[in-house]
Structure formats: structure tokens, C-alpha cells
Amino acid sequence: MAPTDLVEAYYSNHGGAPIWFRDVATRAAASRMSAILKRSTIDGFAFGPQLAMQVDAAIAQSSSGDPATMKAVELVLSKAWVAYIQHLRTPPKGMIYGYDLLRPHARPDQILLTTAAAPNLAQQIERMADVNPTYRNIRDAAIASGQTVADARLLANLERARVLPATGRFIIVDSATSRLTMYENGQPVDSMKVVVGTPETPTPMIASVIHYLTLNPYWNVPPNLIRKTVAPAALKQGAAYLKPRGYEVMSDWTREAAVIPASQVDWKALASGEKQMRIRQQPGPGNSMGKMKVPFPSGVDIYLHDTPAREHFAKSVRQLSNGCIRLEDARRLGRWLMGSDPAARGAEPEQFVQIPQGVPIYLTYLTAQPEAGKLAYVNDIYGWDTQPERQAAAAAYTPPAGALR
């Protein structure tokens, strides 16, 4: 009968081939795994020291060389290792995944296959325990600062950091510091300021992939601005107000929507909020999306975009948007994504330009920042460090359609 325990099933499916006791080098890796478990309270893994004691006892028993004992010892070590790695691969609360492939995978057989397949077991377990450079730097700075157990704030940051990539080409947007960083081969190569969501409309945590850019984008005016500004002005001036600003009233929210003449619109109902309609702004110097928009799947209509409001980038606090991310230098980001300057084909609106290869993007919130090897914290403007339910709630927030992000 096949074993029901997934670790035992792994060994059964692989003919009982050992992972930890193949040779002298893997035995040394087993001892190193014990040391990793002993310090794992800093990862928020409370069972680590207890499992380390079991691992040490099992390693001592392995000296007998008895086949039945060796089989039992292998199981003890692999179950401890799987439990630890599954903890490290638990997704943070409120993370949105644009693609399921970006979710951390924590099946025991996958963990053990990855561990066993490495040519150098000691190096492999170190890599898996480090998770990624961002995670490792925060954890090691906490240790250097004298922490041995993760308090609530450190744990919240480690949870957010552990979903980030370890290698490859990707983008990280950190709402805590209001910065976007571009990575190649897992190393930062460029960075810029961004404007992100306010505490009332926070930018949620998202893992997705950028596949194309939108040049000369439309801007769909949010309902609150329609009520407050556009409708009252159009009520008084009609097309004389709308046309110079590039505003158009649309029949619906589809791509096939038709333009409705301003004279046929009940502006009084729009101004009072009794009625809602889509109003978009044509591309141009005053368009709030600027010259470029960078979308990516998420289900919550969050994206990166250019902006004509350059004054905000001189501010130290840049949590000012309705959730989307305004770019300090959209052209520079576009050049990095495309490998060349993104160029629009004339003034035609909404030009979709595919990038050569999809680039993963991660929106996160890291208030823990290593400084000179020690741990420091920036202002927790969203309040997520102490109120994880607010972090989770951000994933359910959907800004008003077309809102200036």
C-alpha cells in the first residue's frame, strides 16, 4: 500500500534513494541544515529549534549504518526540512497573483526533488534558506542588530520579502519607500522614484508579468472628478469646456464605445451623482496618464504610468495616488523593458507595443531596510506592520473606474 505521508511517498517513489547520507559532503550538509533550523526563529519558524534537536539525534543514530535506522533518519531530516521550507513559501496575506505560476510552490515532493538534484547539497540548502537577496539582507540585518526571534514587524516584512525572485530580470515597486527598482540576474541595475497609493487607497501587493506598453493612452476620468469638476463646468460651458481639454463622453466602458455629443448628456444628473457615465481624456500634454501606461494582469486595475505632474517627485512622502504607480521617468523604464526607446506611431491613441520578453513585476511594501548591515525601519504609512488585516484588505480594494492613480 502506498504511503499517505507525502515525504514518505517521495522516498517510496524514488526507491528509497537517500538525500542526506549519500556521502561525506551530504552528511556535512545535514549538520548545516540543523544549524539553519536552530536559528529559524528569526524567520518566524517557532518549531525550528525543536526540529533541530530531532535532526541532531537522528544524525547521531546514523553512525550505526543499519539500513532500517538510516531510512528512519532520512525521513526525520526530510520532514524537518520540508516543514521549514513550506513555512518560507507561505504567501504573505493579501498578495494578488496575476499568474498562478508566480505563486510559491510548497509541495513536499517538489521541495525534496529540488534539494536532492543539486550538485552541492550544502550550497543548495543555503540558497533555499536565504530565499532571495532581499529576504536574506533583511534577516541578516536583524541578526546583526541582536534579534534572535522575529517580532511582529520583522515577521511582516519577511513574509512580504520571501515572495520576491532570487534571480532573473524583474521589477520591484516598494510602496513603503516609493521607489521602483529594475533587476537583472537578480541584482539591482537602476531605480527611480514613484508615486504610490495613499493610506486610504493603498497600492496592493501584486505579482504579475508585464507583456506590453500602451503609448498615447487615454485617461478615464474618475467619477468623483466628474461630479466635482467636469460636469459642473460642462453644465455651464458645454463643448467649449470639454473640447480644449480633450474630454469625450463615451457610451460605455468597452473598447467599441461610441462618442456621445455633449449636447445629449444630462450634465445636471452627472454633477449631482444621480447618474454616471464614462468620460475619457484624449492623449496630449495635459493627459494624466502622460505618454505611456504599463499594464499587467491583476484583476484590480492597477498599473504603472507616466504623469505630467512632475512636482510630486520632489516630495519626501509620495504616497499620493489612488493606488496606481506614477513613474518619475517612464521613458527610461520603457527603454529598459524594450531594449530601445519606445516610440509611438504618430498621435494615434492607445498604441499597444509588445516587449521582447515578459518581465515579472512585484508590488510590495518593505518598511524594514538594512542600513550599514543593521536593521532600520521607515515610516509604516499604511499601518500594515501592526494591522495585517489592513494589508489583506488592500487586495480587495478596487479604485473607481478610470481613477487618477
Side-chain angles (χ1 to χ4, degrees), residues 84-322:
Y84 174 58
I85 297 302
Q86 284 182 325
H87 168 78
L88 294 182
R89 295 183 180 179
T90 303
K93 302 174 185 69
M95 191 78 190
I96 298 169
Y97 295 94
Y99 295 93
D100 194 60
L101 283 174
L102 296 173
R103 294 179 183 274
H105 295 286
R107 278 173 35 189
D109 59 337
Q110 292 178 328
I111 292 170
L112 294 176
L113 279 169
T114 302
T115 305
N120 186 314
L121 184 58
Q123 290 180 2
Q124 179 66 12
I125 64 171
E126 290 285 359
R127 279 194 295 267
M128 293 172 72
D130 285 345
V131 187
N132 60 60
T134 303
Y135 184 95
R136 181 189 64 230
N137 291 341
I138 294 173
R139 182 202 64 203
D140 291 356
I143 294 172
S145 301
Q147 287 189 246
T148 57
V149 178
D151 58 24
R153 192 168 196 190
L154 174 60
L155 183 57
N157 278 273
L158 290 174
E159 286 179 348
R160 298 171 198 139
R162 65 193 180 201
V163 76
L164 303 176
T167 60
R169 192 166 188 260
F170 56 90
I171 292 170
I172 292 178
V173 177
D174 180 8
S175 295
T177 58
S178 300
R179 291 203 71 87
L180 177 151
T181 304
M182 293 156 263
Y183 289 78
E184 294 178 7
N185 299 319
Q187 299 298 315
V189 295
D190 199 359
S191 182
M192 68 179 66
K193 296 176 183 178
V194 292
V195 172
V196 296
T198 67
E200 294 73 32
T201 59
T203 298
M205 293 189 298
I206 297 172
S208 192
V209 179
I210 298 168
H211 290 289
Y212 67 94
L213 312 177
T214 305
L215 305 182
N216 293 344
Y218 289 117
W219 174 49
N220 292 300
V221 185
N224 63 316
L225 289 184
I226 292 175
R227 290 194 305 272
K228 181 179 178 181
T229 305
V230 178
L235 189 60
K236 295 178 181 179
Q237 303 176 46
Y241 170 81
L242 299 169
K243 190 172 181 180
R245 292 165 177 80
Y247 289 139
E248 297 176 321
V249 184
M250 310 304 296
S251 59
D252 54 51
W253 286 88
T254 67
R255 292 194 182 279
E256 297 75 28
V259 177
I260 297 176
S263 59
Q264 297 180 12
V265 176
D266 186 349
W267 292 107
K268 187 174 182 180
L270 290 183
S272 67
E274 296 175 14
K275 186 177 181 180
Q276 288 192 6
M277 296 187 72
R278 176 187 175 190
I279 298 178
R280 74 181 182 191
Q281 187 181 36
Q282 288 277 352
N287 185 289
S288 296
M289 296 289 102
K291 296 180 179 180
M292 187 175 80
K293 174 180 171 181
V294 185
F296 43 86
S298 69
V300 291
D301 197 28
I302 294 291
Y303 46 82
L304 316 178
H305 67 85
D306 189 14
T307 175
R310 313 308 303 169
E311 68 276 9
H312 295 309
F313 296 108
K315 299 175 181 178
S316 57
V317 176
R318 296 189 297 279
Q319 287 86 6
L320 303 168
S321 80
N322 277 333

